[in-house]
Amino acid sequence: MTSNLPHHYREILKELGEDPNREGLLDTPTRAAKAMQYLCHGYSQTVEEIVNGALFASDSDEMVIVKDIELYSLCEHHLLPFIGKAHVAYIPTGKVLGLSKIARIVDMFARRLQIQENLTREIADAIQGITAASGVAVVIEAKHMCMMMRGVEKQNSLMNTSVMLGAFRESSTTRQEFLQLIRRSND
Ligand SMILES: [Zn+2]
């Protein structure tokens, strides 16, 4: 893939006061460009491609939970990483999604520039859209390097976001069941 990114990274190195011709930095613009393209590869994916027909008929209307999905994203304000875990649940109404697909949907949206609130919402809406579930819940807990490495330097602050749709919004019993099931893994 031809890209202007290496050129721009070289310029950034100069602006920062570095010498892009010194040995340790010679290949850095190319490497940094590849890394950034990888971290943003979610832009070239779609939910349809990822699901790819892995939607199966099922009579179950029991809550499906996938906990502790590793999450790596970049904040759109500083282009710095935020990393953490996503917990996803849905209540099927005739169709269930292949389990690995949920993690891949999380990854697709995470591999774009994000704020955590929008990421949480996009995952929930996508799963709702694919499965027509009677409820979808997404909780994300993440640490933001833009808070830890700069500015307020809050080393241990964990940001929590959640989106509850359908039954998870309407029924506190359903919501509590989900929250208890994901809490247990963290103790
Ligand atoms: Zn940030």
Side-chain angles (χ1 to χ4, degrees), residues 75 77-78 146:
C75 85
H77 298 144
H78 304 96
C146 60

Side-chain angles (χ1 to χ4, degrees), residues 75-80 144-147 150:
C75 85
E76 67 185 24
H77 298 144
H78 304 96
L79 306 184
L80 288 171
H144 289 247
M145 295 306 140
C146 60
M147 284 185 71
R150 56 166 284 289

Side-chain angles (χ1 to χ4, degrees), residues 23-186:
E23 198 186 354
L25 291 179
L26 278 179
D27 294 329
T28 297
T30 306
R31 279 192 298 255
K34 278 188 185 157
M36 191 53 113
Q37 281 168 331
Y38 180 77
L39 298 181
C40 292
H41 73 248
Y43 287 118
S44 61
Q45 297 177 311
T46 66
V47 171
E48 291 70 28
E49 278 168 17
I50 283 172
V51 173
N52 190 26
L55 199 59
F56 308 104
S58 167
D59 293 335
S60 173
D61 59 358
E62 297 295 326
M63 188 186 300
V64 177
I65 300 192
V66 186
K67 289 187 293 191
D68 299 323
I69 301 167
E70 281 181 47
L71 180 121
Y72 302 93
S73 191
L74 289 177
C75 85
E76 67 185 24
H77 298 144
H78 304 96
L79 306 184
L80 288 171
F82 63 97
I83 64 180
K85 289 186 287 191
H87 312 288
V88 176
Y90 69 102
I91 299 170
T93 54
K95 286 185 282 188
V96 293
L97 194 55
L99 277 190
S100 69
K101 302 296 184 182
I102 291 179
R104 292 198 59 205
I105 289 167
V106 169
D107 206 46
M108 182 193 86
F109 287 113
R111 300 306 193 167
R112 300 175 180 184
L113 303 183
Q114 284 288 4
I115 63 171
Q116 189 176 323
E117 295 88 336
N118 291 347
L119 174 60
T120 313
R121 163 71 54 183
E122 286 170 8
I123 294 164
D125 287 345
I127 289 169
Q128 174 67 52
I130 299 157
T131 60
S134 61
V136 176
V138 179
V139 167
I140 293 177
E141 33 196 23
K143 290 185 167 186
H144 289 247
M145 295 306 140
C146 60
M147 284 185 71
M148 296 169 72
M149 297 177 70
R150 56 166 284 289
V152 288
E153 295 196 16
K154 291 267 181 272
Q155 304 292 329
N156 290 309
S157 56
L158 197 61
M159 182 169 169
N160 273 274
T161 48
S162 68
V163 169
M164 303 283 157
L165 304 178
F168 290 96
R169 171 173 284 275
E170 287 144 23
S171 160
S172 64
T173 312
T174 305
R175 189 164 60 244
Q176 286 311 318
E177 185 186 343
F178 166 66
L179 292 173
Q180 269 166 23
L181 285 164
I182 65 171
R183 288 286 134 67
R184 206 172 299 158
S185 69
N186 299 332

